[in-house]
C-alpha cells in the first residue's frame, strides 16, 4: 500500500511539474507574440500607406466584379405538385466593370452594368410547352463621362449614357442621354454629375408611348472596395423640361464579398420608375389608358449568388 501511495504522489508531482513548465512556456511564448503582433500591424500599416499613395497616382484604374446565381431541378412522378414530371431552372448573371483615367487636367470615367436572368419550366407531359430558358430580368447600361478640371473637386463635363435590354428587346426601347454641365467629385470614389443641358433620345419600334425630349441629367455614382468587400451604387435620373411624364430614374446597387481567391457571395438589386414604359406595357382597353391614368409602379429586380472579383 505504501508503495502505491508513493507512486501516486510521484505521478502527481511529475504532472504538476509538467503543468507548471507548460504554463511557464506558454507565458514566455505570449511575451514573444506581443512584439511580433505589433510588428505585423506596423508592417501592414506601411503597406496600406504605400497602396494609398499608389491609388492616388494619376492613371488608369480598371476593375470588375460579378455575380452568378443558378439552380437546376427536376422531378419524375412527383404527384404532390401540379406538374409531376418536369425540369426547371433559373440562371442569373451580373457584371459591373469600370475603366477610369485620371490626369492632372482632365478625367475620363467609363462603366458598364449587365444583369441577365433566364428561367424555364418544362412540363414533360406536354409536348407543346416551351422547354427552353426564357429571359426575365434584362439590364444593359454603359456610361462614359469626360471632365476638364477647374479644381480638384469640380470640372466641366460631358456625359453619354445608353440603357436598353439585350436578351429579348434590344433597343426597344433604348435610351441615349447626351449632355453637358458640371461634375463634382467630393471624394475619390464618388462622382456627382449635374447636366442642365441634356437630350434624352428614346428608340422604340412602337413610338406611341415613347418620346425624346430635352431635360436635366443627374447621376450619382459611388464605387468602393474595402478589403474583401466590393460595392457600387449608381443613381441616374432624367428630368424632362417638356413633361414630367417623360422623366425617369434608375437606381442599381451591387455588393460582393470575397471568401477565397476572388470567389465569394454577391447581391444586386435595382429600382426604376419610367412612366413611358408603364404606358407601353399597359393592357389594351376601352377607354384607352393614357399618361393621366396609367398605373406606374416602381420596377424592381434582384439577384443573389456566387460572386467573382477581378
Amino acid at each position: 500500500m505504501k508503495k502505491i501511495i508513493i507512486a501516486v504522489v510521484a505521478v502527481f508531482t511529475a504532472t504538476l511539474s509538467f503543468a507548471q513548465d507548460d504554463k511557464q512556456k506558454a507565458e514566455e511564448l505570449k511575451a514573444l507574440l506581443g512584439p511580433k503582433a505589433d510588428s505585423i500591424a506596423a508592417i501592414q500599416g506601411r503597406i496600406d500607406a504605400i497602396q494609398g499613395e499608389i491609388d492616388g497616382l494619376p492613371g488608369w484604374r480598371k476593375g470588375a466584379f460579378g455575380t452568378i446565381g443558378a439552380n437546376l431541378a427536376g422531378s419524375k412522378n412527383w404527384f404532390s405538385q401540379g406538374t409531376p414530371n418536369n425540369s426547371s431552372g433559373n440562371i442569373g448573371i451580373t457584371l459591373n466593370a469600370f475603366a477610369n483615367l485620371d490626369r492632372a487636367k482632365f478625367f475620363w470615367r467609363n462603366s458598364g452594368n449587365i444583369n441577365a436572368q433566364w428561367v424555364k419550366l418544362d412540363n414533360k407531359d406536354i409536348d407543346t410547352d416551351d422547354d427552353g430558358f426564357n429571359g426575365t430580368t434584362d439590364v444593359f447600361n454603359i456610361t462614359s463621362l469626360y471632365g476638364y478640371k477647374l479644381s480638384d473637386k469640380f470640372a466641366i463635363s460631358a456625359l453619354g449614357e445608353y440603357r436598353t435590354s439585350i436578351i429579348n428587346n434590344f433597343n426597344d426601347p433604348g435610351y441615349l442621354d447626351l449632355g453637358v454641365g458640371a461634375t463634382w467629385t467630393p471624394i475619390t470614389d464618388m462622382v456627382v454629375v449635374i447636366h442642365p443641358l441634356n437630350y434624352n433620345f428614346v428608340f422604340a419600334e412602337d413610338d406611341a408611348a415613347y418620346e425624346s425630349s430635352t431635360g436635366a441629367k443627374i447621376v450619382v455614382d459611388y464605387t468602393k472596395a474595402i478589403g474583401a468587400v466590393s460595392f457600387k451604387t449608381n443613381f441616374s435620373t432624367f428630368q424632362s423640361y417638356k413633361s414630367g411624364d417623360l422623366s425617369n430614374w434608375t437606381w442599381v446597387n451591387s455588393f460582393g464579398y470575397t471568401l477565397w481567391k476572388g470567389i465569394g457571395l454577391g447581391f444586386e438589386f435595382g429600382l426604376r420608375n419610367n412612366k413611358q414604359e408603364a404606358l407601353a406595357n399597359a393592357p389594351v382597353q376601352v377607354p384607352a389608358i393614357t399618361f393621366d391614368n396609367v398605373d406606374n409602379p416602381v420596377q424592381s429586380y434582384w439577384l443573389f449568388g456566387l460572386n467573382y472579383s477581378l
Side-chain angles (χ1 to χ4, degrees):
M1 184 67 178
K2 184 177 180 180
K3 292 181 179 180
I4 295 175
I5 294 175
I6 293 173
V8 171
V9 172
V11 171
F12 178 78
T13 303
T15 302
L16 182 61
S17 177
F18 284 131
Q20 290 176 343
D21 291 342
D22 290 342
K23 182 178 179 181
Q24 182 178 359
K25 187 174 181 180
E27 291 176 351
E28 292 174 354
L29 291 174
K30 288 180 181 179
L32 292 174
L33 181 62
K36 299 295 183 183
D38 293 340
S39 299
I40 293 173
I43 293 172
Q44 186 61 52
R46 291 195 294 270
I47 292 174
D48 293 341
I50 294 172
Q51 186 62 51
E53 293 181 8
I54 294 174
D55 294 340
L57 293 175
W60 281 103
R61 298 287 182 272
K62 302 176 184 178
F65 67 96
T67 300
I68 298 176
N71 66 76
L72 301 174
S75 65
K76 184 176 181 180
N77 300 326
W78 196 262
F79 296 113
S80 61
Q81 65 171 339
T83 53
N85 302 292
N86 74 74
S87 65
S88 61
N90 189 308
I91 300 174
I93 299 172
T94 71
L95 176 64
N96 290 280
F98 66 90
N100 301 329
L101 176 64
D102 188 15
R103 296 299 189 192
K105 293 295 185 180
F106 70 92
F107 61 79
W108 185 21
R109 306 177 66 93
N110 304 276
S111 64
N113 170 253
I114 297 175
N115 186 305
Q117 299 185 45
W118 298 264
V119 64
K120 84 163 185 175
L121 176 59
D122 177 22
N123 189 338
K124 300 297 184 180
D125 298 322
I126 301 176
D127 295 332
T128 58
D129 72 332
D130 190 352
D131 60 356
F133 282 88
N134 297 302
T136 53
T137 302
D138 192 358
V139 178
F140 178 78
N141 185 17
I142 55 175
T143 301
S144 184
L145 174 68
Y146 176 86
Y148 182 81
K149 295 180 181 179
L150 301 177
S151 67
D152 292 339
K153 304 296 184 183
F154 291 94
I156 299 172
S157 56
L159 172 72
E161 182 183 75
Y162 179 66
R163 307 182 309 282
T164 187
S165 300
I166 56 175
I167 300 177
N168 295 320
N169 300 310
F170 179 73
N171 207 40
D172 184 26
Y175 304 90
L176 175 62
D177 281 291
L178 296 175
V180 294
T183 294
W184 177 42
T185 52
I187 55 178
T188 302
D189 304 296
M190 185 175 186
V191 178
V192 180
V193 180
I194 302 174
H195 285 179
L197 182 58
N198 183 91
Y199 197 81
N200 179 237
F201 295 90
V202 184
F203 311 100
E205 293 183 6
D206 182 8
D207 59 359
Y210 296 101
E211 183 178 350
S212 304
S213 64
T214 303
K217 183 72 175 181
I218 300 173
V219 178
V220 180
D221 184 275
Y222 185 71
T223 305
K224 186 70 175 178
I226 303 176
V229 179
S230 300
F231 58 92
K232 175 184 177 69
T233 180
N234 181 279
F235 178 81
S236 176
T237 180
F238 170 75
Q239 298 298 313
S240 175
Y241 293 147
K242 183 175 182 178
S243 170
D245 296 331
L246 306 180
S247 301
N248 61 76
W249 59 263
T250 301
W251 186 25
V252 178
N253 300 271
S254 304
F255 304 88
Y257 181 72
T258 302
L259 298 173
W260 177 74
K261 292 186 184 247
I263 300 174
L265 299 176
F267 177 68
E268 178 172 298
F269 73 91
L271 302 173
R272 174 181 289 172
N273 187 264
N274 190 315
K275 205 168 188 179
Q276 294 182 86
E277 292 180 355
L279 181 60
N281 289 275
V284 177
Q285 64 181 51
V286 179
I289 296 177
T290 65
F291 278 128
D292 294 330
N293 59 8
V294 67
D295 184 20
N296 183 30
V298 174
Q299 306 170 41
S300 65
Y301 74 86
W302 64 273
L303 174 66
F304 176 78
L306 291 177
N307 175 272
Y308 186 73
S309 298
L310 299 175

